[in-house]
Amino acid sequence: MIKRSKKILSITLSMFFLLTGRLQNVYADDLNVNAISAIALDCDSKIVLYEKNAYTPIEIASTTKIITSLVAIKSGDLNKKITVSEKAASIRGSEIGLRKGEEITLKELLYGLMLRSGNDAAIAIAEGISGSVDEFSKLMNEYALEIGLLNSNFESPHGLDSANHYSTAYDLALLTSKAKEIPLFNDIVSSKDIDAKDYNFTRSYHNINKILWTLPGSTGVKTGSTGKAGKCLVTSVKIKDRDVIIVTLNCTPRWKETERISKYVEKNYEYRKLINKNDILQNISVKNGIKDVQMVSKRDIIIPVKNDESIEVKIKKPLYEVSAPVNLGDKIGRVEIYANNKLMFTEALVANNSVKRENMFKQRIHEIVNLITPNK
């Protein structure tokens, strides 16, 4: 039986694919973006296609509302009506015009949050789900750690400037790639206009995110602007039928620079399928099992590659002896993708078949055969 507690030591098998292309974090000398911090991230593989100071903590303004919406979708009842408090109704900055005592559904608040960047909607969401901004901020930080945002800290659901509220371009891109897995999130951030009567909402909403109109293939996501953070923008865009996340922080020409990064990715990258879903990559013998187990990938592995550098794909199996029983879908081995001997992508492979344990009589026969058969 494969146990998760075992430390997996791997050896490289003789399976290599030599391809032209490049797969690595890009420090592009040929693209100078006018932003304090920026990144382009392939949504599926999480491979960085471009970056500038992308791992430096920085103020992020209302791009904070991406994680606010995810926590709300995860933790709240979309149909629940939330009563607007005085604190929510009186918050400064962008708002959707909530009034104290008004009742409004969580779902509508999410549209107001993301399309109009409503700070009043953010406070109402936080209080409606957790009772207070402080308690909701705890949920935000717990969720951030859960999904791997290691250089972020959130003090509010709206992102107005405060001493210890920050993230990085990389963390925001990673967060957005997670958000893209949620259909409702995609529906909200890609909407240009929402008519109240079509959704049974209290208000109609027009999206203030101009990137939806100016960048072909754009599907969202969120603007932001404060005195300390400057102009910020997180964008998702289809490039060659793949989702790419582009983040520009403290970037006055955020629309123009996002478009430049998008064009850079489109010009310099192509996507290649390196491994097909369910192709048998290796057979592994199973101790006390009735047959071998087959290693496969549970999905197509499609990687962005860049100009004339070689990529090496290595299929690795556990060094320790795999013992029966093995269950369909158990993690067993890995695929690793290298560029210039640098590991750029790795993912677990899984068992394509179950392997039952042999009965005790057959096990004893095999043990005896192994004892009397000379080693070759």
Side-chain angles (χ1 to χ4, degrees), residues 116-132:
R116 300 300 303 170
S117 199
N119 294 334
D120 48 357
I123 296 293
I125 288 169
E127 293 178 337
I129 290 176
S130 298
S132 71

Side-chain angles (χ1 to χ4, degrees), residues 11-294:
I11 60 173
T12 303
L13 303 178
S14 57
M15 178 178 180
F16 303 91
F17 299 91
L18 296 179
L19 303 171
T20 59
R22 183 178 180 181
L23 184 62
Q24 62 181 25
N25 289 7
V26 176
Y27 307 86
D29 294 332
D30 54 340
L31 180 64
N32 183 21
V33 172
N34 184 8
I36 298 300
S37 181
I39 196 170
L41 183 83
D42 177 57
C43 193
D44 182 60
S45 68
K46 310 300 186 289
I47 290 171
V48 175
L49 310 175
Y50 170 84
E51 74 94 14
K52 176 182 178 181
N53 301 326
Y55 307 97
T56 303
I58 191 173
E59 294 86 358
I60 61 169
S62 285
T63 62
T64 298
K65 290 164 183 167
I66 299 171
I67 192 167
T68 301
S69 65
L70 263 65
V71 172
I73 292 169
K74 178 183 177 183
S75 305
D77 177 358
L78 294 173
N79 297 314
K80 175 186 176 182
K81 286 195 172 183
I82 293 171
T83 301
V84 178
S85 70
E86 182 177 356
K87 180 176 182 178
S90 61
I91 187 70
R92 62 188 172 90
S94 57
E95 43 83 24
I96 63 173
L98 294 178
R99 301 178 300 275
K100 180 183 177 182
E102 179 181 356
E103 292 188 344
I104 188 167
T105 65
L106 175 59
K107 184 176 181 179
E108 182 173 350
L109 287 171
L110 287 169
Y111 276 86
L113 178 80
M114 299 304 286
L115 272 66
R116 300 300 303 170
S117 199
N119 294 334
D120 48 357
I123 296 293
I125 288 169
E127 293 178 337
I129 290 176
S130 298
S132 71
V133 166
D134 287 344
E135 288 302 311
F136 187 81
S137 296
K138 290 178 183 178
L139 283 185
M140 294 170 70
N141 287 304
E142 288 170 4
Y143 183 71
L145 288 175
E146 180 183 322
I147 64 175
L149 310 189
L150 302 180
N151 291 295
S152 299
N153 189 68
F154 303 102
E155 290 189 322
S156 74
H158 44 64
L160 292 174
D161 292 330
S162 63
N164 291 303
H165 189 98
Y166 55 83
S167 187
T168 68
Y170 176 77
D171 276 7
L172 283 176
L174 196 64
L175 169 67
T176 305
S177 70
K178 182 68 176 178
K180 294 288 293 178
E181 298 174 7
I182 302 172
L184 176 61
F185 179 89
N186 287 319
D187 289 345
I188 293 172
V189 299
S190 63
S191 297
K192 293 181 178 180
D193 288 283
I194 295 295
D195 194 317
K197 65 178 182 293
D198 293 337
Y199 286 75
N200 197 28
F201 284 174
T202 64
R203 297 162 175 78
S204 296
Y205 299 94
H206 173 74
N207 201 327
I208 64 173
N209 188 359
K210 293 196 302 184
I211 205 71
L212 290 170
W213 285 267
T214 61
L215 180 62
S218 174
T219 56
V221 171
K222 188 69 190 74
T223 60
S225 180
T226 65
K228 288 185 178 180
K231 301 291 185 181
C232 302
L233 182 62
V234 177
T235 300
S236 62
V237 58
K238 287 284 186 182
I239 299 177
K240 299 178 181 179
D241 294 322
R242 306 285 292 182
D243 285 317
V244 175
I245 309 301
I246 299 173
V247 180
T248 53
L249 300 178
N250 205 331
C251 175
T252 301
R254 54 185 170 175
W255 319 109
K256 175 185 173 183
E257 295 302 79
T258 295
E259 185 174 357
R260 288 183 65 223
I261 295 171
S262 177
K263 289 179 177 178
Y264 172 85
V265 172
E266 185 171 15
K267 178 181 177 181
N268 289 280
Y269 284 89
E270 62 177 330
Y271 284 87
R272 297 184 182 178
K273 184 189 289 187
L274 302 184
I275 292 179
N276 293 311
K277 177 182 178 180
N278 293 332
D279 276 1
I280 299 171
L281 303 175
Q282 179 70 27
N283 289 321
I284 300 176
S285 60
V286 179
K287 182 179 180 181
N288 298 330
I290 61 174
K291 56 185 174 181
D292 291 348
V293 63
Q294 300 168 343

Side-chain angles (χ1 to χ4, degrees), residues 8 10 43-47 242 275-278 281 295-303 313-317 331-338 343-350:
I8 299 178
S10 302
C43 193
D44 182 60
S45 68
K46 310 300 186 289
I47 290 171
R242 306 285 292 182
I275 292 179
N276 293 311
K277 177 182 178 180
N278 293 332
L281 303 175
M295 293 170 59
V296 300
S297 173
K298 61 184 177 182
R299 63 181 181 129
D300 291 336
I301 295 180
I302 301 171
I303 296 297
V313 178
K314 302 179 181 181
I315 304 302
K316 303 184 116 183
K317 68 177 183 180
K331 292 181 179 179
I332 179 169
R334 304 192 67 78
V335 56
E336 294 183 349
I337 299 177
Y338 292 80
L343 178 65
M344 302 308 300
F345 176 86
T346 183
E347 186 166 280
L349 299 174
V350 298

